[in-house]
Amino acid sequence: MTMNRRSFLTSGSALAVATAFGSTLLGATAGPASAAPPAPGGGRPGAGYGPLRPTAPRGGGPEYLAVPAGFTYSVHGITGAPMSGYDHPHPHQLDGAAAFELANGNVAYLRNCEDRAPAGAPQQFSIRDRTNAYDARAYGGVTTLEFDRNLNHVVRESIVLTGTTVNCAGGIVSVDGVQGWMTCEETTVGPANGFEQKHGYTYFVPAAAEGPVRAEPFRQMGRFAHEAVAQDAAGVVYLTEDQGDTSGFYRYLPDDRSLRTGRLQMLAVDGQPTFTAFTGQQQGATFPVTWVDIAIPDPELPAQPRTAVQGRTLGAAYFNRLEGIWAGAGTMTFASTSGGAARRGQIWQYDIARQTLSMIFESTGSDVLDSPDNLVVTPRGGIILCEDDASGDGDTHPLAPGLTDVNRLIGLSADAQPFELVVNRFNDAELAGAAFSPDGRTLFFNVFGNGAAGQGFTVALRGPWNAGPL
């Protein structure tokens, strides 16, 4: 659509629905285990942070982004640029990520490389390090940017996982008491496709890793087109699947803190078997849920049925392209990228104590929200949504001249009001990997890029967060 994409919805329900914790529906998402602590001071609820303006990064350079007045950013880990300590450059296709405080006070930002190279055929900026590779013929993985404690400079660049493929998103989890990043493969390729190993799994990287860890798949968490994960206070892991309109929402009940064995289940709506979540739903609607067991979490494909097909046979719900997820205080908030009547996206929330599922927001058009992917719950209870414009409707934006299918960061206030926070005016690549620094003052995210040098990078965005609803 050619209208000004800054013209947002001004209507919509406030959704001030009390949860079991006595907070508003969206406000209940900010949990101490997964979201950064709030910065001091209060906030002004309402219409975002004001008009956006083209802005160059601190230190100069192209006006990559449009951001509100008072916000500044820096750019790091650029695709194709030399990677300190390695004989090859920073990788491409930068996707899901998370930020962690290290014992030395620095901050580690672990970011995925969603490499889609065919088996044994690395691309120019694939991860070529084979140290502890899960599959020597696969070239995705995870890299780390370690920032100094003031978040001004990158002091270490590391490859920390190799030999995986299509590492799309992931999430913050603890394994045996160690916190880190669980990266997910959004594919189920294997030996039939020329790879040495089966793919479609999750892998764990400790936050403090300084080199490639041994890549070991968590097979009982399922073999499917994984997107993202999140872990609740009890250690249960929730997982999203990006498999078109036959995508499931899962939980994994581990036997112990190792997460190596456990039970995989898929969400079903109680009393409405084979519920279809992506059409015919109303914003604010809430449904009681139940869970069905997945008998074969690690299927031999295609001889055995996909996990979602197994669950559907037992009455489980289907969503359309489930992607980002974030753990909060008793809730799981997750995105359906192409859900809704307009096929522009839905945001869902699962209440763990109440065992209910609520559709807290649905986009009515590209100007409002176009294809939400990764997301993060903000320190003060709003949501930041990373667009991956999958609609292909050719929409434009006045702040990104010459581009179509423009991607943005969209804020969603605690009363479910959407607004623009950032516009990518440099290229048409998706934005991904949104995560706050531990002090809640800096938002990291990635510009995915298009595989070419200089087109992908990590952004560290600072600003007056308390002056608006996030």
Side-chain angles (χ1 to χ4, degrees), residues 70-159:
F71 282 77
T72 65
Y73 67 94
S74 54
V75 170
H76 309 273
I78 300 171
T79 295
M83 191 172 185
S84 178
Y86 294 88
D87 59 1
H88 53 78
H90 282 282
H92 59 170
Q93 297 168 330
L94 306 172
D95 208 297
F100 303 86
E101 184 172 13
L102 300 176
N104 62 5
N106 291 349
V107 174
Y109 183 68
L110 277 67
R111 57 183 195 168
N112 278 356
C113 167
E114 192 186 331
D115 185 87
R116 293 177 178 268
Q123 299 172 355
Q124 183 179 11
F125 300 123
S126 297
I127 296 177
R128 296 171 183 260
D129 191 322
R130 303 292 80 195
T131 306
N132 285 332
Y134 168 67
D135 186 332
R137 297 178 64 79
Y139 298 95
V142 180
T143 61
T144 294
L145 301 179
E146 181 181 337
F147 290 81
D148 65 21
R149 63 182 60 203
N150 295 318
L151 303 178
N152 291 322
H153 305 287
V154 172
V155 297
R156 174 175 59 88
E157 301 170 339
S158 302
I159 296 170

Side-chain angles (χ1 to χ4, degrees), residues 200-201 218-224 226 252 262-265 294-300 304-307 310:
Y201 301 112
F218 287 73
R219 299 182 189 276
Q220 293 304 300
M221 284 192 194
R223 184 188 183 199
F224 54 86
H226 284 275
Y252 177 71
R263 185 156 48 118
L264 184 67
Q265 298 181 317
I294 303 301
I296 310 172
D298 184 15
E300 292 290 342
Q304 295 175 315
R306 289 175 43 222
T307 55
Q310 295 176 52

Side-chain angles (χ1 to χ4, degrees), residues 336-340 342-347 361-364 369 371-372:
S336 171
T337 294
S338 302
R343 311 291 279 188
R344 295 300 185 268
Q346 299 167 318
I347 307 302
F361 185 76
E362 180 172 304
S363 176
T364 57
L369 172 67
S371 308

Side-chain angles (χ1 to χ4, degrees), residues 203-243:
Y203 307 80
F204 179 69
V205 182
E210 296 188 357
V213 302
R214 183 177 177 184
E216 297 180 340
F218 287 73
R219 299 182 189 276
Q220 293 304 300
M221 284 192 194
R223 184 188 183 199
F224 54 86
H226 284 275
E227 179 68 26
V229 303
Q231 188 177 41
D232 69 16
V236 176
V237 178
Y238 295 80
L239 310 101
T240 59
E241 179 179 26
D242 187 359
Q243 190 68 52

